[in-house]
Amino acid sequence: MTLAARLMRALTDPDCAPDHGRPDMAQVSDEELGDLLVAAHDVNAPATHAMRTARFAIGEAVGERQPRYTPDACRRMFEVLAARCEERGWADLTLGLDALEHCTGPRPDVSEPARALVGFWLEKDTVRQPYTLLAVAGLAGDGTLRAAVERLSDDVGPIVADEMAVIARLTPAEQTLLSAIDRDDRFESPLAHAWHGAADIPEYAAFARRALEAAADRTDAIRAGEIPYRADKAFTDREVTSLGQALRVALLRDEPWLPELFERLLPGVALAPTAARTLPSQALLYEVVRAAQSFPTPELATAIRTVRRTVRHAGVPRQLDKMLKKIDAALAERTEVALRLPRLDFDDEGVLRRPAGDHRAVVTVTEIATLTWEKDGRPLRGVPAAVRRDHTALVKELRDLVKRVNAQLATLLRALEGGFVLDTTHPYGRWRTELADHPLARTLVRRLIWEIEVAPDEWRTVLPETDEHLPEAPDDTPIRLWHPLRSDPETVRTWRNLLTERRIRQPFKQAFREIYLLTPAEERTRVHSNRFAAHLVHYRRMFALFRARGWTSRLLGPWDDGDGDEAERTLAAGEWRVRFHHTWSDRAGDDELASTGRVRFDRRVDGAWREAPLSDVPPLVFSEAMRDVDLFVGVTSIAADPDWTDGGPERAYWERAGFGELNESAVTRRDALERLLPRLKIADRCTLDGRFLLVRGDLRTYKIHLLSANILMEPDDSYLCIVPAGHRRGDPKLYLPFEDDRLSLILSKAFLLAADADITDESILTQIKRGA
């Protein structure tokens, strides 16, 4: 008996004994899977163990590949859905449309069960999946479709009525496409590919503009007093959801009319026309922000920040702050629009000047934006008292401007760095005007190394900061960020030497960027890597890093199903996915620990994820993903915690890993130190020795580990615990070619210990003198 037959028997025969072991669903064809899925939804009897096992295996397989359906299976799927509605009060109508879309033969006549499904839903008080319901109604005939449009347009507002009429006129294929973005509530959002299908329907895109402009017209009328103001009643619940759909489509299409609309709509939904602290539509404001999290643009992010500063409701700004963090992270992934920065009245050198009585404000963009004050051309240390007294609004406006510019620059950097895994190229003309010569972006972009394709597959490398004139090239010439993985070691060394000699600090690691190549051990394990397994980490810190780097993961803890999870991140425009397994371990006082596990990669095939051999992963995707995992482990490992004093197996790990072999980040750190040490005033007291920086003090000699920054003291390798304040970010006294808190920490400890005779901290002196 075939596996498909055994699974079918398990679903239909209550006396069937379950198979032992996990079914190999690769033995089941796509068409057999369609038959099984119909049968799995047709089970009405109490589920046996064999049924549950079969349904789980079928559900897993459907998540990985697309079932196909015979005409008979399509008809039976509709009949099963109609029966489920009668028996249980609900059924997922998209299953019927999916069956028809992937039918292996002539489409069967499903008008009778479709009519029953629509009739059932139209009798209910609340209609779920309205787009899907219209598509099903179209299968039942024109009369049923007209009845569905009338019912779905009743008492939900003119915007939704327009939407229902538009969808009813679409082709069945277009209606099926739209059903993929059907949402039961506004808090869930379908996958990006579903929105792309909706955005490609011209009639729906035209509706999106009409709907959003009608929403702005309504808020204008509320402000003008033409419509009575009622808090949170400007739009019906269904209108809020429909406007969210429309906005996502318009944002995905990057419609040019959107920025002007934001200037009307955002204040219109966020500010009451009276002095009230309520909002015309808090629901629509939050729905706009959720849409921006799906498909952000710089203009919408700026508009939301502007509204955040003016909204009167006490709780809304705090909620917007949380949501804006997700918008910034999402904008970094949407490279095609993230590079679009406004000039904001800055001159070509990145300076903005504003008069304030006898004083003048100066906002300057270098590594970051800073606000200073001057009088008669002389810089002042702080905000003059007269300015604080007489120009309060200007001070607040400029401080907010500095915050906004810094947020935009941070987003730009995330977008540029995120382009590595996409191997993103830009047209040279646009790159020059919108990046290299842009008053805000230029200071960051010019300190990065770029490659211009001067001939097919021939790239010329340029560092604008050191080149007086940018090279001449046609506007459509591709330009991309240089990555050390694409270069030979000698070229990488040359760039690192140049940066160090010119004291150029890159806005993110590029020349000194770690690269991760497939190891022989990973070739043997084939589909998983143990490179970062078996580490103990501070769990909450790692969980925060997941969020900051765009990974998703469930929060773990000592509760049911809280023991383990795989953090995930999609890469290369959604074509690849990396998974990092980790397990909640234990509590250590007030801290929570986790242990790390394997790293795996999946490739998207026919819309579903399939596990891929590591050797199939593109080298840049592999390297950048492993770099993230290395960061998670390196930063949060308890081995890098100088205060760790707990005993047991955790202490054994701390002692082993805290002074163990170097990872790629530490190897890069050592390379940077080789170039930096000769330029330091303590150079004669420092030596690199394998995994350590040796520092000769007057009292003792110290070994600082290049991965953990932990310290051993010669001659007995006793441990020295120091918890230093470290150097401030951007400290001009300490040049670093890139931002690295651990490198800065190591150097701060080196400076302290080189002058150990001057140390006055008794907690440190006691440890040094104990074995000196």
Side-chain angles (χ1 to χ4, degrees):
M1 185 183 295
T2 65
L3 176 59
R6 295 201 304 274
L7 290 170
M8 186 65 76
R9 183 183 173 193
L11 292 170
T12 56
D13 183 358
D15 298 324
C16 178
D19 282 347
H20 295 292
R22 185 176 179 178
D24 180 9
M25 297 303 290
Q27 300 177 29
V28 177
S29 70
D30 291 344
E31 196 168 286
E32 290 172 329
L33 185 60
D35 282 335
L36 289 168
L37 184 60
V38 174
H41 282 278
D42 198 21
V43 174
N44 292 315
T48 64
H49 178 61
M51 288 178 185
R52 287 193 296 270
T53 302
R55 288 160 84 176
F56 179 79
I58 293 164
E60 259 197 341
V62 169
E64 294 175 354
R65 56 192 171 105
Q66 174 61 56
R68 299 184 67 78
Y69 303 84
T70 64
D72 183 61
C74 289
R75 180 185 50 77
R76 285 189 291 113
M77 177 64 87
F78 273 86
E79 291 171 349
V80 166
L81 293 175
R84 285 177 74 95
C85 278
E86 289 293 335
E87 294 160 6
R88 305 185 187 183
W90 183 81
D92 185 357
L93 303 186
T94 60
L95 290 169
L97 296 181
D98 184 72
L100 286 178
E101 186 181 359
H102 297 94
C103 185
T104 59
R107 286 193 171 193
D109 179 7
V110 295
S111 57
E112 186 176 341
R115 196 173 299 115
L117 282 168
V118 175
F120 172 83
W121 278 111
L122 295 186
E123 292 175 358
K124 297 180 76 69
D125 293 334
T126 302
V127 178
R128 299 170 68 177
Q129 298 179 300
Y131 299 174
T132 309
L133 188 65
L134 286 177
V136 174
L139 300 171
D142 290 343
T144 304
L145 180 59
R146 284 194 297 273
V149 171
E150 184 178 346
R151 169 67 177 81
L152 293 173
S153 303
D154 184 35
D155 199 28
V156 288
I159 291 173
V160 180
D162 183 15
E163 181 184 32
M164 295 301 106
V166 168
I167 296 174
R169 293 192 297 269
L170 298 178
T171 66
E174 290 171 331
Q175 290 174 339
T176 299
L177 271 177
L178 272 184
S179 70
I181 66 168
D182 221 349
R183 297 183 293 165
D184 288 339
D185 65 67
R186 65 180 71 106
F187 298 98
E188 297 177 0
S189 188
L191 295 174
H193 72 272
W195 294 109
H196 281 276
D200 288 337
I201 301 174
E203 291 83 357
Y204 194 80
F207 156 74
R209 180 169 188 173
R210 287 199 307 275
L212 292 167
E213 289 179 341
D217 290 343
R218 191 181 303 178
T219 58
D220 288 347
I222 291 173
R223 276 202 302 271
E226 298 167 7
I227 297 177
Y229 172 68
R230 292 189 300 157
D232 287 324
K233 299 296 183 183
F235 301 92
T236 66
D237 286 347
R238 181 61 214 179
E239 280 182 321
V240 170
T241 301
S242 292
L243 287 167
Q245 315 278 61
L247 181 55
R248 284 172 174 84
V249 165
L251 287 169
L252 181 56
R253 293 169 63 92
D254 198 20
E255 297 283 15
W257 46 266
L258 277 173
E260 184 177 348
L261 181 129
F262 296 149
E263 292 179 6
R264 298 170 56 205
L265 182 61
L266 267 294
V269 298
L271 292 173
T274 66
R277 295 183 179 273
T278 53
L279 288 74
S281 180
Q282 183 172 313
L284 184 55
L285 174 62
Y286 287 158
E287 178 65 4
V288 168
V289 182
R290 280 190 289 271
Q293 292 172 345
S294 300
F295 303 108
T297 65
E299 295 82 7
L300 181 50
T302 298
I304 293 169
R305 282 191 166 88
T306 301
V307 162
R308 181 250 177 268
R309 293 194 301 271
T310 56
V311 68
R312 303 187 194 107
H313 190 291
V316 171
R318 289 195 298 272
Q319 184 63 25
L320 291 180
D321 286 341
K322 295 177 184 177
M323 300 174 83
L324 277 163
K325 291 179 181 178
K326 294 183 179 179
I327 293 174
D328 287 338
L331 189 55
E333 298 293 324
R334 201 178 179 202
T335 316
E336 72 275 16
V337 300
L339 307 185
R340 199 165 58 212
L341 284 180
R343 294 182 69 93
L344 299 174
D345 296 326
F346 282 80
D347 64 22
D348 291 341
E349 300 303 315
V351 180
L352 179 145
R353 295 178 173 84
R354 295 280 294 276
D358 294 335
H359 299 84
R360 187 162 63 166
V362 182
V363 180
T364 307
V365 178
T366 51
E367 287 195 15
I368 58 173
T370 55
L371 170 63
T372 58
W373 300 86
E374 62 182 30
K375 183 177 182 180
D376 300 329
R378 293 181 293 104
L380 305 174
R381 287 191 175 183
V383 185
V387 172
R388 282 200 304 270
R389 183 186 65 244
D390 301 332
H391 302 277
T392 305
L394 176 64
V395 173
K396 184 179 185 304
E397 176 192 340
L398 293 178
R399 284 175 173 168
D400 287 343
L401 174 66
V402 167
K403 291 179 182 177
R404 190 163 83 248
V405 168
N406 286 333
Q408 289 171 334
L409 294 179
T411 299
L412 171 65
L413 288 180
R414 283 196 295 269
L416 290 173
E417 194 172 10
F420 274 138
V421 292
L422 297 171
D423 210 7
T424 302
T425 62
H426 312 279
Y428 186 57
R430 182 186 173 204
W431 174 86
R432 240 184 352 230
T433 55
E434 296 190 23
L435 291 177
D437 291 334
H438 191 284
L440 304 183
R442 65 195 306 276
T443 181
L444 304 177
V445 169
R446 287 176 170 267
R447 287 181 281 126
L448 293 167
I449 305 165
W450 298 85
E451 292 181 312
I452 306 170
E453 191 175 28
V454 293
D457 294 325
E458 182 182 335
W459 298 82
R460 175 186 167 186
T461 312
V462 59
L463 177 61
E465 185 77 359
T466 62
D467 292 318
E468 191 171 331
H469 301 290
L470 291 173
E472 294 296 325
D475 285 350
D476 60 352
T477 302
I479 184 170
R480 69 184 181 188
L481 276 172
W482 173 88
H483 194 290
L485 190 66
R486 290 193 292 256
S487 289
D488 59 88
E490 185 56 38
T491 301
V492 174
R493 279 193 293 270
T494 300
W495 280 117
R496 290 180 177 181
N497 289 336
L498 177 64
L499 291 175
T500 308
E501 289 165 4
R502 302 286 187 92
R503 294 179 64 84
I504 296 172
R505 178 185 173 94
Q506 293 198 290
F508 55 77
K509 274 189 184 180
Q510 187 189 25
F512 284 87
R513 198 172 192 83
E514 306 86 356
I515 60 174
Y516 299 80
L517 305 175
L518 204 62
T519 64
E522 288 163 341
E523 290 174 352
R524 289 192 295 271
T525 54
R526 208 176 75 81
V527 294
H528 68 263
S529 169
N530 290 317
R531 193 186 302 204
F532 302 110
H535 287 275
L536 283 174
V537 299
H538 292 283
Y539 172 63
R540 292 290 178 144
R541 296 181 200 171
M542 187 169 73
F543 185 76
L545 271 180
F546 288 159
R547 292 288 186 265
R549 297 292 296 177
W551 290 59
T552 59
S553 175
R554 289 187 301 113
L555 183 65
L556 302 182
W559 48 75
D560 289 346
D561 297 326
D563 55 337
D565 192 29
E566 287 184 322
E568 298 179 357
R569 182 187 174 191
T570 56
L571 302 159
E575 293 302 309
W576 287 91
R577 178 176 71 177
V578 57
R579 294 179 284 137
F580 173 40
H581 191 268
H582 55 287
T583 306
W584 193 86
S585 179
D586 202 354
R587 289 190 184 276
D590 294 332
D591 205 355
E592 296 178 53
L593 301 182
S595 59
T596 62
R598 295 172 171 176
V599 177
R600 297 177 182 271
F601 287 83
D602 304 311
R603 169 189 277 162
R604 191 182 290 279
V605 180
D606 296 331
W609 291 114
R610 304 281 178 86
E611 188 170 69
L614 301 181
S615 57
D616 288 355
V617 183
L620 265 177
V621 172
F622 181 83
S623 184
E624 290 297 304
M626 297 299 271
R627 183 175 183 270
D628 265 6
V629 180
D630 195 357
L631 171 74
F632 300 149
V633 174
V635 171
T636 66
S637 169
I638 66 171
D641 185 348
D643 278 339
W644 190 265
T645 56
D646 287 14
E650 291 88 358
R651 181 67 183 186
Y653 165 79
W654 183 89
E655 291 174 348
R656 181 179 70 255
F659 299 99
E661 293 299 322
L662 304 184
N663 63 4
E664 291 295 335
S665 295
V667 170
T668 301
R669 198 171 293 131
R670 190 184 196 283
D671 192 3
L673 279 169
E674 284 182 340
R675 292 167 170 78
L676 293 173
L677 287 179
R679 294 168 168 80
L680 301 179
K681 65 180 181 180
I682 59 170
D684 61 331
R685 289 179 172 261
C686 296
T687 310
L688 284 168
D689 183 14
R691 304 191 297 268
F692 297 93
L693 171 63
L694 270 58
V695 181
R696 178 174 53 83
D698 293 323
L699 305 178
R700 299 185 77 164
T701 296
Y702 309 90
K703 297 159 62 175
I704 307 176
H705 193 252
L706 299 179
L707 172 59
S708 65
N710 291 337
I711 306 167
L712 298 176
M713 298 184 288
E714 293 187 346
D716 57 350
D717 278 354
S718 54
Y719 175 64
L720 173 61
C721 179
I722 299 177
V723 185
H727 286 270
R728 292 183 295 106
R729 177 181 175 181
D731 186 343
K733 297 179 182 178
L734 181 64
Y735 160 73
L736 298 178
F738 51 85
E739 184 180 341
D740 184 343
D741 290 340
R742 194 66 56 82
L743 177 56
S744 182
L745 176 60
I746 289 170
L747 286 171
S748 69
K749 288 183 175 181
F751 276 96
L752 176 73
L753 297 173
D756 57 0
D758 298 331
I759 294 175
T760 57
D761 189 320
E762 283 299 326
S763 66
I764 299 175
L765 277 177
T766 301
Q767 297 177 74
I768 293 174
K769 292 178 178 179
R770 184 179 298 133

